[in-house]
Amino acid sequence: MYTSNMIARTLASTISLESDAFDIVMIEGMHQSGKSALAGALFHHLPRVDLCDVYPRNLATTEPKSFYAVYGDHVLIDHIELAPQLLDHIPADRDVKIVFVGNLLPQDRQKLLDRENAKIYNLMPISQREYRGLAAEPFAQKPVPVTMSYPQIQLLDAIRNGSLPRPTQQMTTHAFYEAWMASFFDQVVRGTLRVAKELQFFRYLKALAEANMTELNHYKLSEIAGISYGTAIYWTDFLVAVGVLLEIKSLQLPTRRQVKRPKICFADSGLLCHLLDCRTTEDLIASPFYQKIFEGFVASELIKGYAAWGEASPVTYYRDTSKKHIDLLVQTKRGYVPVGFYTSKARDPKLVLREMKVLGRMGERVEDPGMITDGTWIAEKTDVALIAATAL
């Protein structure tokens, strides 16, 4: 459990080193991940305007052309999702320094991506390395050595407790996520998405939790939640845009037919466990969803390591029409690093390692694989790297 003033974030160093090169910076990320606090600390020299306040929000939504004349063009604007029209009126005839904080829908976010002088940073929940006082680190940027390491005993508690900063250590995990859900619905779902049917949205979140680390099937999810197919697509895109979900794309190669649907993964394992009613460590290990919870925890940790350095995620997966399946792939300059899972509930390791060889047979450059372990299955010896999930 992490309080908001305890943990140094690697992304803070990244932004400090890079931000002078950009006129426009945006810090996005999951609700209550610490975006506003991070932006305020890094850009304390800029006047801060919070669009949750009535007057600036009214001006931004009714007269966006006048906003920068009133508040200036060297400014930090928090909760930009409440007035995305400000992106269309950024002064173009003079030097600016504008920092946006919040989450934008894809069509608005693209406006910043199209600008050469803008950079978007994603503040994800706290990584395991940051929790231990270390800088987050991109996985497999150096060759993975063939060693065996097993997780610390706190792994299952770390998965269940999640990694969002908390206002106080005295708050229980259940109470924290109940409060988080209420705040998320009030400020984000109602405030930005303007969903009227909250019960259906919550049911859809539960359906997504049960589908964690599986290929995205909007038709099936819409049936479970009792919503339309189009609504399911829209809500999923929204949850990705606001950082609750991560999208793990299917690797597409011209030499063989692959599935095209992405996998979905919750960015925070604590929220996932809360939605799946895993209130104790015993509930977690006994859950029929345990393996997918663990896989999602690992995928999120891998992606955090890249996001902390301002880099796009190189994490994909592979499955072709002949059912060859590689759980995760990390693309590096040297080639693809296959990643599998070594747990008591995972697929047979021999099958996993055999299917990892499919890319090499197609002529792709492939590095030695890594198997991520939760410590529930012990190997006497190994020819591949067994990596503790707590060491990512």
Side-chain angles (χ1 to χ4, degrees), residues 219-244:
Y219 178 77
K220 182 177 179 180
L221 289 167
S222 65
E223 283 196 326
I224 293 171
I227 59 178
S228 70
Y229 178 78
T231 298
I233 293 174
Y234 184 59
W235 284 359
T236 299
D237 289 346
F238 173 78
L239 289 166
V240 171
V242 298
V244 171

Side-chain angles (χ1 to χ4, degrees), residues 136-176:
E137 188 174 278
F139 178 78
Q141 292 310 290
K142 298 177 182 178
V144 179
V146 179
T147 58
M148 285 194 295
S149 63
Y150 290 100
Q152 300 170 1
I153 58 174
Q154 302 95 337
L155 170 64
L156 297 180
D157 285 337
I159 293 173
R160 184 178 58 82
N161 288 329
S163 49
L164 288 172
R166 303 188 184 182
T168 172
Q169 284 187 313
Q170 280 67 50
M171 204 171 197
T172 67
T173 297
H174 179 72
F176 171 76

Side-chain angles (χ1 to χ4, degrees), residues 2-309:
Y2 323 117
T3 56
S4 55
N5 59 351
M6 286 172 57
I7 307 297
R9 304 306 306 271
T10 306
L11 185 62
S13 299
T14 302
I15 296 175
S16 294
L17 290 170
E18 297 181 353
S19 61
D20 285 347
F22 302 100
D23 297 335
I24 301 167
V25 170
M26 178 166 171
I27 301 175
E28 63 182 7
M30 188 174 173
H31 182 58
Q32 293 185 0
S33 61
K35 301 183 296 294
S36 297
L38 182 71
L42 292 176
F43 299 100
H44 55 84
H45 57 287
L46 294 178
R48 178 176 178 270
V49 179
D50 191 343
L51 295 180
C52 286
D53 296 336
V54 173
Y55 180 75
R57 184 172 69 249
N58 283 345
L59 181 64
T61 54
T62 60
E63 297 183 57
K65 291 182 180 180
S66 305
F67 184 90
Y68 296 103
V70 173
Y71 289 104
D73 49 24
H74 285 63
V75 62
L76 188 160
I77 302 173
D78 205 350
H79 297 100
I80 182 58
E81 65 273 8
L82 298 177
Q85 49 269 67
L86 289 177
L87 301 175
D88 296 323
H89 299 281
I90 296 171
D93 56 348
R94 56 187 182 271
D95 291 336
V96 301
K97 188 65 177 184
I98 301 173
V99 178
F100 296 115
V101 180
N103 293 295
L104 295 168
L105 295 178
Q107 64 271 22
D108 295 317
R109 189 175 185 273
Q110 189 61 44
K111 295 174 183 177
L112 288 183
L113 292 175
D114 291 339
R115 286 177 170 266
E116 293 182 359
N117 63 342
K119 180 69 180 282
I120 299 176
Y121 295 95
N122 183 5
L123 182 64
M124 292 187 65
I126 301 163
S127 71
Q128 290 296 295
R129 288 183 60 85
E130 289 172 325
Y131 175 57
R132 299 198 304 274
L134 304 172
E137 188 174 278
F139 178 78
Q141 292 310 290
K142 298 177 182 178
V144 179
V146 179
T147 58
M148 285 194 295
S149 63
Y150 290 100
Q152 300 170 1
I153 58 174
Q154 302 95 337
L155 170 64
L156 297 180
D157 285 337
I159 293 173
R160 184 178 58 82
N161 288 329
S163 49
L164 288 172
R166 303 188 184 182
T168 172
Q169 284 187 313
Q170 280 67 50
M171 204 171 197
T172 67
T173 297
H174 179 72
F176 171 76
Y177 282 104
E178 283 290 299
W180 186 95
M181 290 282 291
S183 174
F184 178 67
F185 271 80
D186 182 53
Q187 297 181 27
V188 182
V189 178
R190 273 202 299 259
T192 304
L193 193 60
R194 309 196 188 285
V195 169
K197 300 176 180 178
E198 293 182 17
L199 185 60
Q200 285 184 323
F201 191 86
F202 179 72
R203 191 182 301 130
Y204 188 64
L205 265 181
K206 292 269 289 185
L208 286 167
E210 294 179 359
N212 191 61
M213 285 302 287
T214 63
E215 293 165 21
L216 188 55
N217 186 337
H218 281 121
Y219 178 77
K220 182 177 179 180
L221 289 167
S222 65
E223 283 196 326
I224 293 171
I227 59 178
S228 70
Y229 178 78
T231 298
I233 293 174
Y234 184 59
W235 284 359
T236 299
D237 289 346
F238 173 78
L239 289 166
V240 171
V242 298
V244 171
L245 293 181
L246 304 172
E247 191 177 60
I248 301 173
K249 295 185 182 298
S250 169
L251 178 66
Q252 299 296 304
L253 299 172
T255 49
R256 188 173 293 200
R257 293 181 63 188
Q258 295 97 41
V259 298
K260 295 182 179 180
R261 293 184 300 191
K263 289 182 180 180
I264 53 163
C265 167
F266 274 73
D268 181 61
S269 60
L271 175 61
L272 175 61
C273 288
H274 183 75
L275 290 167
L276 295 175
D277 296 320
C278 296
R279 297 195 182 183
T280 66
T281 300
E282 291 74 20
D283 290 341
L284 172 59
I285 199 68
S287 172
F289 303 106
Y290 171 76
Q291 181 61 30
K292 294 302 181 184
I293 293 172
F294 177 70
E295 291 178 13
F297 172 81
V298 170
S300 178
E301 288 298 312
L302 296 178
I303 295 170
K304 287 175 188 177
Y306 288 89
W309 290 91

